[in-house]
């Protein structure tokens, strides 16, 4: 089993364990380290692919991303924060071809966490 398959299997297991109550918003945070061999062009290609995701999906997401500021040596190199309206959208995202097509060659390691937030009443 590849590392990507292992990560996706783990994400499915975690998502399945979340209560299926109505979710105001689900936040998916990913931090990653790039390989030492990743070039500036590799990282830019990765960033552009992440930025293109909202237009390639058939459900709404909001994505923000950026490089670490370099203030702490132990930090990850990059972070992506994606907002989903429902748990079902998040589950669909995990297996969506646009998500699976993100360039993974420059990525050495990745950590993620999902959590819920309530949207304040308008």
């Amino acid at each position: 089993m590849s590392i990507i398959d292992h990560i996706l299997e783990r994400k499915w297991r975690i998502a399945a364990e979340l209560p299926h109550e109505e979710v105001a918003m689900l936040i998916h945070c990913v931090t990653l380290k790039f390989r030492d061999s990743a070039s500036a062009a590799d990282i830019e290609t990765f960033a552009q692919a992440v930025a293109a995701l909202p237009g390639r999906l058939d459900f709404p997401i909001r994505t923000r991303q950026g490089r670490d500021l370099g203030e702490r040596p132990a930090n990850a190199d990059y972070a992506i924060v994606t907002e989903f309206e429902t748990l079902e959208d998040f589950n669909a995202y995990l297996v969506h071809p646009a998500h699976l097509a993100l360039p993974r060659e420059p990525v050495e390691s990745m950590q993620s966490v999902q959590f819920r937030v309530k949207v304040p009443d308008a």
Side-chain angles (χ1 to χ4, degrees), residues 83-103:
E83 299 174 0
F84 295 87
E85 289 184 2
T86 67
L87 178 60
E88 290 74 22
D89 289 349
F90 172 68
N91 286 328
Y93 172 78
L94 292 177
V95 296
H96 195 282
H99 175 246
L100 297 176
L102 288 174

Side-chain angles (χ1 to χ4, degrees), residues 36-59:
D36 290 340
S37 61
S39 68
D42 293 334
I43 295 169
E44 181 59 27
T45 298
F46 178 86
Q48 289 176 2
V50 171
L53 278 174
R56 299 186 64 207
L57 303 172
D58 53 353
F59 46 86

Side-chain angles (χ1 to χ4, degrees), residues 4-18 20 28 87-96 99-100 112 114:
I4 299 301
D5 291 334
H6 175 73
I7 291 167
L8 290 174
E9 179 181 313
R10 183 172 180 271
K11 285 180 176 287
W12 268 107
R13 190 174 62 250
I14 290 168
E17 293 169 1
L18 290 172
H20 289 281
H28 173 54
L87 178 60
E88 290 74 22
D89 289 349
F90 172 68
N91 286 328
Y93 172 78
L94 292 177
V95 296
H96 195 282
H99 175 246
L100 297 176
S112 69
Q114 296 77 42

Side-chain angles (χ1 to χ4, degrees), residues 22-47:
E22 188 170 331
V23 176
M25 183 181 302
L26 187 141
I27 308 293
H28 173 54
C29 295
V30 175
T31 59
L32 51 94
K33 289 233 180 227
F34 290 113
R35 296 182 191 282
D36 290 340
S37 61
S39 68
D42 293 334
I43 295 169
E44 181 59 27
T45 298
F46 178 86

